[in-house]
Amino acid sequence: MHDLKSTRTANHILKEMEPYLSHFRDGENIYYLNKEGRERVNAKKVLKKTVQARHYIMRNSIYIAFGCPSTWKNEMKLEVPNKVKVISDALFMKNKVRHIVEVDHTQKMSKNRDKVERYRKLIELGVFDKQPKVIWITTTELRRKQLTDLCQGLDVQIFTVNDFH
């Protein structure tokens, strides 16, 4: 994304930024701004180690893969009052089509099934001008197959985390 050419270069830059960063391990080092880093860039929001880090990284993989769309919005509510409501992990527009992003990290498949049914209901109720494209990112090939089966009839694209390594 930043054309750093190599992992070694990226690690060198992160080493130079050490006074401004904290990190933890979750399969890889995950870096975030510490107090000094936030002050340096005038950031107001405090971000720290969270169990949702992997979820955010998976969502960000989709954001980067789709070219960092300017219309991207995280955690967006879609609803028809008193009928159906769903909160997507992210939404963005591309070629006049709404793209709905869903992250399946530690979710039970029954929860995913429920979410897919709520999207079907929104489509039935005419919430979208055109049928939306639902983009999933999941952890395994088995889960990709299960999601593919759940999403029959929808415009869907399903990735695994390995698609981005």
Side-chain angles (χ1 to χ4, degrees):
M1 190 165 129
H2 296 291
D3 199 27
L4 297 177
K5 306 289 185 227
S6 71
T7 302
R8 185 176 176 185
T9 302
N11 286 332
H12 176 73
I13 291 167
L14 288 167
K15 183 76 174 153
E16 287 179 1
M17 295 172 62
E18 208 167 62
Y20 308 107
L21 299 174
S22 294
H23 73 278
F24 62 94
R25 292 225 20 111
D26 184 2
E28 60 189 335
N29 283 338
I30 297 174
Y31 294 87
Y32 57 96
L33 292 174
N34 60 24
K35 184 175 186 247
E36 291 78 18
R38 289 191 305 275
E39 288 171 357
R40 176 84 179 214
V41 298
N42 201 24
K44 303 292 182 226
K45 191 171 185 180
V46 177
L47 298 173
K48 297 203 174 204
K49 180 179 178 178
T50 174
V51 294
Q52 290 188 300
R54 185 59 46 198
H55 178 93
Y56 296 153
I57 289 168
M58 289 170 68
R59 183 178 62 198
N60 288 349
S61 294
I62 298 296
Y63 175 72
I64 293 165
F66 280 82
C68 305
S70 61
T71 56
W72 183 279
K73 300 234 185 292
N74 291 330
E75 306 294 327
M76 294 301 294
K77 180 171 38 172
L78 296 163
E79 74 175 314
V80 174
N82 302 321
K83 294 194 189 249
V84 63
K85 176 176 97 170
V86 61
I87 297 174
S88 67
D89 288 313
L91 291 176
F92 68 97
M93 295 293 289
K94 183 175 181 183
N95 301 326
K96 298 181 181 174
V97 174
R98 186 175 308 258
H99 289 61
I100 299 168
V101 177
E102 287 297 335
V103 176
D104 171 45
H105 178 229
T106 57
Q107 192 86 294
K108 290 186 187 231
M109 200 52 70
S110 60
K111 291 275 190 187
N112 291 334
R113 183 177 298 108
D114 179 55
K115 211 163 211 190
V116 168
E117 289 310 312
R118 286 186 276 152
Y119 284 130
R120 288 185 195 282
K121 185 76 170 163
L122 288 171
I123 292 167
E124 248 177 59
L125 293 169
V127 169
F128 308 102
D129 295 336
K130 296 179 183 175
Q131 184 169 339
K133 182 173 196 91
V134 183
I135 301 161
W136 287 87
I137 183 166
T138 190
T139 53
T140 66
E141 287 300 328
L142 174 61
R143 291 187 75 80
R144 184 191 327 233
K145 178 169 181 351
Q146 291 171 324
L147 287 168
T148 300
D149 292 344
L150 281 179
C151 294
Q152 287 295 322
L154 296 177
D155 185 2
V156 68
Q157 192 170 8
I158 304 169
F159 298 97
T160 70
V161 291
N162 290 336
D163 293 332
F164 301 104
H165 292 270

